[in-house]
DNA sequence: ACCAGAATTCAAACGTGCTGAATAAATCCC
DNA sequence: GGGATTTATTCAGCACGTTTGAATTCTGGT
């Protein structure tokens, strides 16, 4: 189909990078839907199966090249370090500062280049792999996955109701207030699951 | 493909409504991605092209069907009645049964087609007025609004990560597991805000 | 020099959402 | 009534994303 002489090519033709560059252009020009795997492969002068081979899926390719890694693996892992008591605070800190652009402002989320659909795709991949995956790994233990999943829905809900589909009540909070209001929920999500004890009642 | 004699059928088979009902079940059972147009069509004993014909697209079908879910979930305030200790459980119950239950679809299906965008708008309005508004009113006190806002982000995150933009980890839970996993977070959101006491540490 | 593995092309298949053409009934208009 | 139009349906098929298996060729380690 490409008639480019079968087999591994000589040297180190940075094919993966070439695909990524082309893909970025195509995504920006035509959007997620408009850009096709076959089209990207053609533009990169490569067989389309190579995209699955190198990136796994169109979504993963999109997530990688549009790396607005909502926090970035580094930032999030950094938040993991430390005691469990402060974990919720550190994560909320990382999330708000990533989305409200202290330093490295994640591009395009407030409008611009990406549509809702694209953002949701990236966010989904991010929550699933970065948050659920890494956090469960960090927490360890039998209930790690349950705790990480709960944390992901709280964090996802925060991003959703504050940035993606903002509720007035959530959007109007200062980032400090938002953190303070949400911290108990995230802390509870992260807490080890204890068999419910009868005296562990909630205050009046 | 269905060998059901071509052309318009006799009488007035309420095909459109039948498709909508089946689609709702399928979407709730398998999520947006998991439910397929062909599967819905097969379950409704109809050719799959009819879905495009009647609804325009899978997304529009989803939007139309899910709007009803949002509106149907307005019976939430019934969950407010009762003691504070069980409030989180009752709310999660109401939410999951509204989104997964088998309440008959109210009439009025034939109307404007809605996309995901519109679903988000409806959901936003719902969370803001129904959850934040009424819940704050129910809770009362100075921190009522903060608690209701926290609850809205947890509930919104739940709907978001389970139904709207489903994460595998969240979608794959049974509704019982989902409730159990999320209950601590919602309970914490609803709890009165106490001035942080130094011994109020989180377990191990 | 050898061999395991990585990188690539190719062909074929599968299930997806969707469209265009054909067809048949219902409805409208004179 | 009867022709024209609209509406509801089936069917055949497209382009897509993805997977698989095989064939091929190069790289890296020993």
């Amino acid at each position: 189909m490409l008639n480019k002489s079968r087999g591994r090519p000589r040297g180190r033709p940075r094919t993966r990078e070439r695909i990524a560059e082309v893909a970025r252009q195509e995504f920006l020009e035509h959007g997620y839907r408009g850009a096709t795997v076959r089209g990207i492969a053609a533009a990169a002068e490569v067989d389309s199966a190579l995209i699955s081979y190198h990136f796994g899926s169109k979504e993963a390719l999109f997530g990688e090249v549009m790396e607005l890694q909502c926090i970035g693996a580094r930032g999030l892992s950094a938040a993991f370090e430390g005691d469990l008591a402060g974990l919720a605070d550190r994560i909320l800190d990382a999330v708000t500062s990533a989305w409200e652009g202290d330093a490295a402002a994640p591009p395009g989320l407030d409008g611009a280049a990406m549509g809702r659909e694209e953002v949701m795709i990236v966010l989904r991949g991010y929550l699933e792999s970065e948050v659920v995956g890494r956090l469960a790994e960090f927490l360890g233990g039998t209930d790690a996955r349950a705790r990480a999943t709960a944390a992901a829905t709280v964090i996802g809900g925060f991003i959703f109701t504050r940035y993606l589909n903002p509720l007035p009540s959530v959007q109007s909070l200062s980032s400090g207030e938002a953190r303070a209001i949400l911290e108990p929920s995230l802390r509870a999500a992260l807490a080890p699951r204890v068999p419910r004890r009868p005296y562990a009642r909630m205050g009046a």
Side-chain angles (χ1 to χ4, degrees), chain A residues 92 169 173 175-186:
Chain A
L92 285 173
S169 302
L173 300 169
S175 62
E177 289 168 334
R179 282 196 295 265
I181 280 182
L182 226 57
E183 192 269 348
S185 292
L186 184 53

Side-chain angles (χ1 to χ4, degrees), chain A residues 76-145:
Chain A
L76 197 59
S77 307
F80 290 169
E81 302 306 320
D83 63 334
L84 190 52
L87 180 57
D89 271 326
R90 294 195 302 276
I91 290 178
L92 285 173
D93 236 39
V95 172
T96 51
S97 71
W99 283 75
E100 287 169 25
D102 292 1
L109 288 173
D110 291 324
M114 272 205 205
R116 284 248 157 84
E117 185 191 7
E118 282 90 343
V119 177
M120 301 230 290
I121 288 168
V122 171
L123 183 58
R124 177 168 59 221
Y126 172 73
L127 287 175
E128 185 69 26
S129 78
E130 288 315 297
V131 179
V132 177
R134 292 175 109 92
L135 185 53
E137 186 181 335
F138 170 76
L139 290 172
T142 56
D143 54 3
R145 191 161 186 85

Side-chain angles (χ1 to χ4, degrees), chain A residues 1 19 27 32 37 43 56 65 68 95 97 109 119 121 123 133 144-145 192 197:
Chain A
M1 189 191 238
I19 293 174
F27 280 137
Y32 179 76
V37 167
V65 304
L68 44 86
V95 172
S97 71
L109 288 173
V119 177
I121 288 168
L123 183 58
R145 191 161 186 85
R197 284 171 293 179

Side-chain angles (χ1 to χ4, degrees), chain A residues 7-15 18:
Chain A
R8 182 172 187 158
R10 331 209 127 166
R12 299 188 311 276
R14 318 189 332 143
T15 312
R18 210 170 66 242

